Amino acid sequence: MLNVKVLSGSMIAVLLAICSYLTLISTPGSTVAPGATNVLGEVANAAQKTPSANLTISDRTIGAAKVGMTLGQLKKALGSTAQFKVQSPFMVDFDAVAVSQSGKVQYRIIYAAGTKLKDTDVIELLMTENANYKTVQGVGPGMTLKQAEAIYGKATLSYNVDNEMREGVVFAKQPTRKIMFVPKVDGKQFAGVYGAGQGGFYQTNKYQTNALIKSVMVRK
């Protein structure tokens, strides 16, 4: 049986390292993702108004939440307008604090399973599945990968069997390397269409035509 203290102290660092690695994935030039034509039309369809500050995803923030601030500082900033609820377990190896306003989850603070996030603890990883939150360029949860490609360039999807087969997607021209996009397709395990992998690592530029951005994560 794994030592819980060892696991909880290391897993958040592992996920942050994975996020960092995914943003540096090279994009092979031999495979073209679907929907590469009519780029101007796709940009027009995907373009969104610049979100307000409290709904913006940046390389440090999701709305009022900022990596590097403490949980207590976020509670103070939001005041009585927000509710904080622990979700344990949230996903394999990780728990979360869901931050809700007006009865809807705005974003989550992700931390290692087996630990308790105290008010004095620093936020290291944020995640949102709320479609109201977008980057300055208008990319966020619920947008199709085809639309996101029109703004950020070619998508590269990948997963590793050693990381619970969690799938991620990065874009060739996304403006920051602190953001990780998580794709999804209803009814399928993966959004990407994969061929042979290498050492348990799989990567592709092909994806299901109905693939969406499920969530966006911001790391420290």
Side-chain angles (χ1 to χ4, degrees):
M1 184 175 180
L2 288 174
N3 183 302
V4 175
K5 291 184 178 179
V6 173
L7 178 63
S8 64
S10 61
M11 286 310 300
I12 192 70
V14 170
L15 185 56
L16 291 174
I18 291 166
C19 293
S20 179
Y21 174 70
L22 284 173
T23 62
L24 297 176
I25 294 173
S26 60
T27 304
S30 58
T31 308
V32 179
T37 61
N38 196 22
V39 172
L40 291 178
E42 285 302 321
V43 170
N45 291 334
Q48 304 289 331
K49 292 182 179 179
T50 301
S52 60
N54 61 336
L55 294 175
T56 298
I57 300 171
S58 75
D59 62 349
R60 299 286 292 174
T61 64
I62 295 180
K66 181 177 181 180
V67 293
M69 76 188 315
T70 66
L71 176 59
Q73 287 173 326
L74 179 58
K75 288 181 176 179
K76 184 177 180 180
L78 295 177
S80 60
T81 65
Q83 298 77 49
F84 295 77
K85 182 179 179 180
V86 173
Q87 296 180 324
S88 178
F90 177 64
M91 59 181 172
V92 177
D93 298 325
F94 298 95
D95 293 340
V97 171
V99 182
S100 299
Q101 291 177 303
S102 302
K104 185 174 182 179
V105 175
Q106 304 299 304
Y107 41 79
R108 291 177 172 88
I109 303 165
I110 309 299
Y111 61 99
T115 63
K116 181 179 179 181
L117 195 67
K118 303 184 294 296
D119 284 353
T120 55
D121 288 336
V122 172
I123 296 170
E124 296 185 316
L125 191 62
L126 293 164
M127 185 194 79
T128 186
E129 296 178 341
N130 190 321
N132 291 328
Y133 290 83
K134 298 176 175 65
T135 65
V136 172
Q137 295 79 20
V139 177
M143 174 175 277
T144 67
L145 294 192
K146 188 175 182 180
Q147 288 175 321
E149 275 193 320
I151 297 171
Y152 280 162
K154 184 179 291 186
T156 300
L157 298 85
S158 66
Y159 72 92
N160 195 318
V161 296
D162 293 330
N163 180 35
E164 304 294 338
M165 295 170 57
R166 295 184 179 109
E167 189 177 29
V169 55
V170 294
F171 299 94
K173 298 178 182 178
Q174 65 184 70
T176 174
R177 298 305 183 183
K178 295 290 187 178
I179 290 179
M180 177 181 171
F181 298 95
V182 179
K184 76 166 185 177
V185 169
D186 289 338
K188 294 184 180 293
Q189 182 178 9
F190 297 115
V193 179
Y194 296 93
Q198 183 174 3
F201 177 72
Y202 294 80
Q203 178 178 315
T204 185
N205 296 120
K206 295 182 178 180
Y207 54 81
Q208 305 291 336
T209 55
N210 57 336
L212 301 171
I213 295 175
K214 176 185 179 182
S215 60
V216 181
M217 302 176 78
V218 176
R219 65 184 180 86
K220 187 176 179 181

